[in-house]
Amino acid sequence: MHSNRNINDVYSTSGENHPMILRQLSSFRPPFPPRCRPHFPPRGRPPVPPRGGLALCRPGFRSSGPSSSHVPHFIPAPRPCWSTRGFPPPPPGLPRLHPADHRFSSARMLAPRRVNPGDFGGSRRSLSSAVGMTMEHAHRDTEPPHKRRRRAEGNNQGGGPGGGTTGQTEDEGSEREHRPKLRLKDGSRGKSRKNCEDEDAKTKNRQRDETQNRRRDKSPPRGQKESQPTSSRQQDGVKSLQRHWEASPGRTSDTRPPGGDAAFDFSVMSYNILSQQLLQDNVYLYQHCPPGLLAWDRRLSNLLDEMRQHDADILCLQEVQEDHYENQIKPALQALGYQCEYKKRTGNKPDGCAVIFKASRLSLLSSNPVEFFRPGDALLDRDNVGLVLLLRPNGAERRGADPTAFLCVANTHLLYNPNRGDIKLAQLAILLAEIGRLSRLPDGSANPVVLCGDFNSTPRSPLYGFLTTGRLDYRGLQRSMVSGQKDTPRGRRVLESPLWSRSLGINRQCRYEDVPGAESSSGSATEGVISDLSVQDAATKAAAAADRHRASIEHGLKLRSSYQHRLAPDGRPEITTFHSRTASTVDYILYTPESTVPPSLSGGRALELLGRLSLVGKSEVVEVKGLPNRCHSSDHLPLLASFRFWC
């Protein structure tokens, strides 16, 4: 028997009618007992049910009529050969019974077709099997092909009824390997599934080998490590962010302030490097990142490479873990010529803030750590800190600069909690008061200020507006809306006046004030007689008390952001941090662009923004698979700006 014979060839051949072949077919007894002998009426006439009535066609039916004795019990036929995987599907175009006809017969009538006797090749057995196919499972015609194939595969694998056909061989258990080739419309034979899978595997292996060869041939430049992020490098399908240097948009050629003769150019980086301990405590935020990329050794290498690449004169780092700072970060940066100052968070927190500067360009005048925690104060009960440095440019005398001129550089990391805007404002007031005290000179003038950090506040927030405008009216403002981290308020708690306790010693202008002591008990003054001085003091105290209860705060630093927080030309928001819960701007480099010297004094001290390293939008970060990734090892992006100090 020619088991490889393609049954489609029988039905796909056009020719003359051959009724002799059909008669031979109808008289031929198949190798299995049928449910109902097919009846082939003359062409053009309706089918006639077999003798004994239509009810005899129903399986298991015993007729009570006289002809019932001539009809044996009907034995269900085994599954036809084409229901086994590896055989072609049934021939298309066979007529279908009306649903009502299934009440009388489970068989299907085979309509006369044009067949070619030469296609039988002497194998009547295969053709009789094709006829049996048309009599089995008529209900399957109502199902799409993919469901029929799925059902057949499930029956074969599960060993259900019909799972083993007559004459099945041992090799039929691996029918995928022995699946016959299909005949295409153009007469050519298609490839089996196994051949296609083998060719796909060979193609993938060849492509992988070519990729490895290209990587082997393309070595990094001398002095550049493989992990160093560059704008044009790509690692394993993850490319680095495309950031470029852009000049300050408002800068003109002649920006020298009155009386300013000497200029000192310097650059500042602000970078939250993501403490490893905080990463492990909040690992759910970084499920998009492969665990191997979150290892500290891998992250440290990338972070140091970024610092070397940008080569800033001043580094303001946040979330610097103390043990990593002492054992790895500080020695590595000292080897590059940096001097390091550090302030750990209070309590048992593992990280803190660091201000690091090039000793060849700047000299340290003073280092002033700032703690926001106040024992016994219910508002200031958090462990956040700040660090304020006074730095003097080296060689100021040679350039003819004012020897009293210096830079005030501050770095901080405010509380994250989006619902506690009152705490953030109180922490910021302490930092601004310390900056004002250190930058102010005895003659009333002040030196320029650079304020960096992670403020956990967005550019549209009231807190950011307070920094850049110098004033905040907070009457009726809800605590959860201060930082802009939430789009809708949570709860109904509003800011109360005054924001912080009088015992803090800071007024609503964010300046230190002397806390008045107890009144003297001296009896030198005559009883009932109040001097003019005491009346004036009482009026001053009353005015100060009324001022403290105003629902507004102020500061006089006149700060401006180095970034515009919108991307050109489409105006999309810039982002500085990205993880599974947020993509926003919370990091800033703020500076004082105007001279703070009183008009009565000559000379001027001001900062001019020269340029900055561009930021990106959310879509660009999503394209590089978020933060951290292979090239960028923190969930924040480094900010970098260049200034000119007129001194």
Side-chain angles (χ1 to χ4, degrees):
M1 181 177 68
H2 302 281
S3 58
N4 294 332
R5 184 68 174 175
N6 195 337
I7 196 71
N8 290 340
D9 297 343
V10 177
Y11 294 97
S12 61
T13 306
S14 62
E16 301 296 334
N17 293 334
H18 298 279
M20 178 60 69
I21 298 300
L22 298 178
R23 285 197 297 271
Q24 292 178 358
L25 175 62
S26 61
S27 62
F28 177 75
R29 183 174 182 179
F32 49 85
R35 291 180 180 176
C36 180
R37 185 178 298 279
H39 178 70
F40 296 92
R43 185 175 184 182
R45 295 185 183 180
V48 179
R51 187 177 60 180
L54 294 175
L56 297 179
C57 295
R58 301 179 64 182
F61 177 83
R62 182 181 295 275
S63 176
S64 60
S67 60
S68 61
S69 60
H70 301 285
V71 181
H73 291 285
F74 292 97
I75 302 174
R79 294 174 59 93
C81 59
W82 47 86
S83 63
T84 304
R85 294 181 60 184
F87 284 85
L94 294 179
R96 299 185 180 182
L97 287 178
H98 191 273
D101 296 338
H102 290 282
R103 296 176 303 173
F104 306 102
S105 174
S106 62
R108 294 180 55 188
M109 298 304 178
L110 180 63
R113 299 186 60 88
R114 299 177 182 271
V115 294
N116 187 357
D119 290 333
F120 289 95
S123 177
R124 297 184 180 180
R125 189 177 186 88
S126 60
L127 184 58
S128 64
S129 300
V131 175
M133 177 183 65
T134 64
M135 302 171 59
E136 294 289 339
H137 305 290
H139 65 280
R140 292 192 179 182
D141 290 340
T142 61
E143 297 178 340
H146 67 278
K147 288 189 177 181
R148 293 199 298 268
R149 290 193 299 269
R150 194 180 306 158
R151 178 177 303 195
E153 292 175 359
N155 291 338
N156 290 337
Q157 294 176 359
T165 58
T166 305
Q168 185 176 8
T169 63
E170 296 178 356
D171 295 336
E172 288 179 359
S174 58
E175 64 271 11
R176 178 171 296 181
E177 286 75 6
H178 300 281
R179 187 168 185 172
K181 298 181 180 180
L182 302 179
R183 181 179 294 277
L184 304 179
K185 290 183 178 181
D186 58 356
S188 60
R189 291 187 178 272
K191 299 178 181 179
S192 65
R193 181 180 300 179
K194 178 175 178 57
N195 293 337
C196 293
E197 293 177 352
D198 293 342
E199 290 189 4
D200 292 342
K202 292 179 180 178
T203 302
K204 292 180 180 179
N205 293 336
R206 184 170 60 255
Q207 293 176 352
R208 183 174 63 252
D209 294 340
E210 293 177 355
T211 303
Q212 294 176 354
N213 292 335
R214 285 195 300 267
R215 289 179 182 172
R216 192 182 304 113
D217 296 338
K218 187 178 180 180
S219 57
R222 179 179 300 177
Q224 176 180 332
K225 292 186 177 180
E226 184 63 24
S227 59
Q228 180 176 353
T230 60
S231 59
S232 59
R233 188 176 49 82
Q234 184 170 342
Q235 292 186 4
D236 296 339
V238 180
K239 59 183 179 180
S240 62
L241 291 170
Q242 302 296 317
R243 302 181 64 183
H244 59 275
W245 188 260
E246 55 186 17
S248 176
R251 184 172 181 270
T252 60
S253 57
D254 186 10
T255 56
R256 180 179 303 180
D261 296 329
F264 176 75
D265 295 346
F266 65 98
S267 57
V268 179
M269 172 188 284
S270 180
Y271 197 4
N272 184 327
I273 65 173
L274 181 58
S275 164
Q276 188 69 14
Q277 184 64 48
L278 296 179
L279 183 154
Q280 296 172 359
D281 294 342
N282 302 275
V283 70
Y284 64 93
L285 297 175
Y286 313 104
Q287 295 180 357
H288 62 279
C289 187
L293 302 182
L294 299 179
W296 171 243
D297 291 339
R298 172 64 181 264
R299 295 183 55 238
L300 175 64
S301 177
N302 277 357
L303 294 171
L304 292 177
D305 283 343
E306 282 187 289
M307 298 177 194
R308 295 189 192 99
Q309 176 188 5
H310 296 305
D311 194 31
D313 297 311
I314 303 173
L315 303 174
C316 294
L317 307 180
Q318 305 89 40
E319 290 194 22
V320 183
Q321 195 163 309
E322 184 180 28
D323 56 341
H324 294 159
Y325 169 78
E326 294 292 345
N327 300 326
Q328 296 170 307
I329 298 176
K330 181 179 179 180
L333 294 180
Q334 284 179 337
L336 298 176
Y338 285 97
Q339 182 175 339
C340 306
E341 298 293 325
Y342 179 76
K343 172 57 183 173
K344 180 181 175 292
R345 283 201 288 170
T346 54
N348 59 354
K349 299 298 186 297
D351 63 294
C353 296
V355 178
I356 303 166
F357 59 93
K358 285 185 177 180
S360 61
R361 304 210 64 208
L362 297 159
S363 299
L364 179 65
L365 298 180
S366 66
S367 177
N368 306 272
V370 182
E371 297 181 356
F372 300 144
F373 177 79
R374 294 291 189 272
D377 195 316
L379 182 66
L380 294 167
D381 60 349
R382 308 304 168 95
D383 296 314
N384 305 84
V385 296
L387 184 60
V388 183
L389 268 61
L390 299 183
L391 301 175
R392 176 179 294 169
N394 293 339
E397 296 81 0
R398 295 193 304 269
R399 296 191 305 270
D402 185 355
T404 63
F406 59 83
L407 291 170
C408 180
V409 180
N411 183 24
T412 189
H413 189 182
L414 298 184
L415 178 70
Y416 168 77
N417 192 339
N419 301 316
R420 296 306 303 267
D422 52 344
I423 298 179
K424 295 183 183 184
L425 289 174
Q427 292 178 347
L428 189 58
I430 296 175
L431 182 64
L432 292 175
E434 190 69 10
I435 292 174
R437 180 183 69 86
L438 294 171
S439 63
R440 199 176 303 115
L441 296 175
D443 59 3
S445 62
N447 279 295
V449 174
V450 177
L451 174 57
C452 302
D454 180 353
F455 293 84
N456 279 312
S457 302
T458 65
R460 69 178 189 277
S461 65
L463 188 146
Y464 176 83
F466 170 61
L467 279 170
T468 55
T469 63
R471 180 179 177 85
L472 173 63
D473 295 321
Y474 58 86
R475 186 181 304 276
L477 179 62
Q478 297 191 24
R479 299 188 320 186
S480 60
M481 302 303 293
V482 170
S483 63
Q485 295 166 283
K486 291 183 174 294
D487 296 327
T488 55
R490 180 179 179 180
R492 299 181 179 179
R493 307 190 69 172
V494 298
L495 298 177
E496 300 177 356
S497 180
L499 283 177
W500 48 81
S501 172
R502 184 183 179 188
S503 62
L504 191 61
I506 298 176
N507 59 22
R508 53 180 293 270
Q509 283 79 27
C510 297
R511 292 183 179 179
Y512 287 118
E513 62 181 5
D514 295 332
V515 179
E519 295 182 1
S520 175
S521 58
S522 173
S524 58
T526 305
E527 183 179 354
V529 179
I530 302 176
S531 64
D532 294 340
L533 182 60
S534 62
V535 172
Q536 184 178 1
D537 290 343
T540 302
K541 292 178 181 179
D547 185 68
R548 283 194 301 270
H549 286 82
R550 292 181 184 177
S552 64
I553 52 177
E554 301 173 357
H555 73 83
L557 291 181
K558 299 180 181 180
L559 296 170
R560 181 182 300 175
S561 176
S562 303
Y563 287 83
Q564 295 181 329
H565 313 308
R566 293 284 178 178
L567 296 173
D570 52 6
R572 290 181 298 127
E574 296 174 339
I575 68 167
T576 65
T577 182
F578 183 98
H579 53 71
S580 61
R581 288 194 173 183
T582 186
S584 60
T585 291
V586 296
D587 306 276
Y588 303 97
I589 298 179
L590 305 168
Y591 69 103
T592 52
E594 299 178 6
S595 175
T596 55
V597 177
S600 59
L601 300 177
S602 61
R605 303 186 184 101
L607 290 180
E608 178 188 359
L609 178 64
L610 301 179
R612 57 186 174 238
L613 183 64
S614 66
L615 285 170
V616 295
K618 181 179 179 180
S619 60
E620 288 85 348
V621 180
V622 171
E623 186 179 354
V624 298
K625 304 185 184 304
L627 296 175
N629 56 41
R630 291 186 181 275
C631 300
H632 310 279
S633 291
S634 174
D635 57 350
H636 290 248
L637 294 176
L639 277 63
L640 182 65
S642 177
F643 300 95
R644 176 165 294 170
F645 178 24
W646 293 101
C647 51

